[in-house]
Amino acid sequence: MKERMRFKQLDLVSYADAKQLRDIGFNEKCLVSYNLDKHKHIIDFEDVIKSDHILLEGVTEVRNEDLVDDFANFVAVPTEYQVMTWFRDRGYFGEIRTMGDRDSKNAKYRCVILKDGKELFDNIVTERYQIVSMFLISRLIEIYKENEC
């Protein structure tokens, strides 16, 4: 039986982060790949699509290790949730803490990265939550490279 992917949210990381994740060993199943030459996101389907909607079970998942030969210019693009889980599995915990009223125009977020209970990073960011989330992932990649690669 084919293993199914489960997502809590479908926010994809940037292709730049996806490339760096590939370089540090990220090889989880992803719904989306990115063609680095054509600058296009790709979703592969098992069958020809004959409707204006699809079921996720018809999507062929891809791992970075699958993207070789004719597909060497592709990179698997994970969701933010997948990346945070991948880092947690390696002992790196990234947190976004809201400071004050999250719904106000002056919302601030505190990004914290922990490893083995030790704080490796702490920074206050005053951007939209989505940008803060992307910032945290980029910083997790940098810290992982510094400590593990």
Side-chain angles (χ1 to χ4, degrees):
M1 186 167 138
K2 188 173 180 181
E3 184 180 326
R4 290 224 160 77
M5 298 179 66
R6 301 187 194 287
F7 295 103
K8 288 194 175 183
Q9 61 184 16
L10 291 174
D11 293 327
L12 300 174
V13 301
S14 70
Y15 82 91
D17 283 345
K19 281 175 48 177
Q20 289 189 64
L21 286 161
R22 175 189 63 193
D23 294 344
I24 62 172
F26 184 91
N27 196 37
E28 305 300 313
K29 291 181 179 180
C30 297
L31 289 176
V32 177
S33 59
Y34 187 83
N35 183 322
L36 301 169
D37 292 337
K38 296 184 180 181
H39 305 288
K40 292 184 180 179
H41 285 92
I42 313 276
I43 299 177
D44 292 326
F45 299 93
E46 293 174 356
D47 300 311
V48 175
I49 300 172
K50 297 179 182 178
S51 68
D52 59 354
H53 64 280
I54 61 160
L55 298 174
L56 287 180
E57 64 190 27
V59 175
T60 301
E61 302 97 359
V62 64
R63 295 177 189 255
N64 280 312
E65 69 183 13
D66 301 329
L67 300 172
V68 295
D69 300 327
D70 291 342
F71 298 97
N73 60 333
F74 285 73
V75 63
V77 181
T79 65
E80 291 179 1
Y81 178 78
Q82 283 180 287
V83 172
M84 296 304 287
T85 300
W86 188 83
F87 278 115
R88 270 193 309 274
D89 290 347
R90 284 149 185 80
Y92 289 82
F93 295 85
E95 298 177 359
I96 299 173
R97 301 174 184 163
T98 305
M99 300 173 63
D101 182 11
R102 180 178 176 170
D103 296 326
S104 79
K105 291 182 181 179
N106 299 322
K108 291 182 181 179
Y109 301 94
R110 185 173 177 186
C111 294
V112 178
I113 298 174
L114 304 166
K115 168 78 170 154
D116 299 326
K118 179 182 173 191
E119 192 173 280
L120 301 178
F121 180 76
D122 186 351
N123 194 17
I124 295 174
V125 184
T126 57
E127 298 286 343
R128 290 188 341 261
Y129 186 86
Q130 181 64 28
I131 293 172
V132 174
S133 181
M134 291 169 32
F135 169 77
L136 180 61
I137 287 173
S138 294
R139 193 65 188 120
L140 271 164
I141 293 168
E142 291 172 19
I143 289 172
Y144 186 84
K145 281 182 177 180
E146 292 168 7
N147 291 295
E148 306 294 333
C149 297

